[in-house]
Amino acid sequence: MIYSGKRKKPGEILLLTCLGFVVVAGIQRFVVGQVGMGILYLFTGGLCLIGTIIDVVNHKKLATEYNLQQMYESSRMVGL
């Protein structure tokens, strides 16, 4: 139950990445907990949009890595 509240769907990550083209680049990185990369994307315009394009292609990988991290943290909290 703890894990289900923390996980992100790949569609959400894709939407946030697409918003990076028109609003603010790097939102998806802040959401998945990569604050350093989020700041870098913010100040460089998504690494001149190349990083944002790569994130559009790899949005499922970003979501999967974040979800695995949250699963491990949730299992440690429960004590499994």
Side-chain angles (χ1 to χ4, degrees):
M1 189 140 106
I2 295 170
Y3 167 69
S4 64
K6 292 183 177 184
R7 73 184 304 269
K8 302 289 182 204
K9 296 179 183 174
E12 294 173 4
I13 303 298
L14 179 61
L15 177 66
L16 292 171
T17 305
C18 290
L19 284 175
F21 286 113
V22 289
V23 183
V24 178
I27 298 170
Q28 73 278 5
R29 295 293 182 153
F30 286 112
V31 169
V32 296
Q34 298 176 353
V35 177
M37 286 295 289
I39 292 171
L40 181 67
Y41 274 44
L42 181 69
F43 289 129
T44 61
L47 299 175
C48 298
L49 293 180
I50 293 172
T52 304
I53 293 169
I54 291 171
D55 283 352
V56 166
V57 174
N58 293 327
H59 70 278
K60 288 184 182 179
K61 181 180 175 188
L62 285 172
T64 302
E65 289 173 354
Y66 176 79
N67 290 337
L68 283 173
Q69 180 184 10
Q70 294 304 313
M71 182 184 66
Y72 292 137
E73 287 180 14
S74 298
S75 66
R76 276 188 256 139
M77 286 173 54
V78 174
L80 296 175

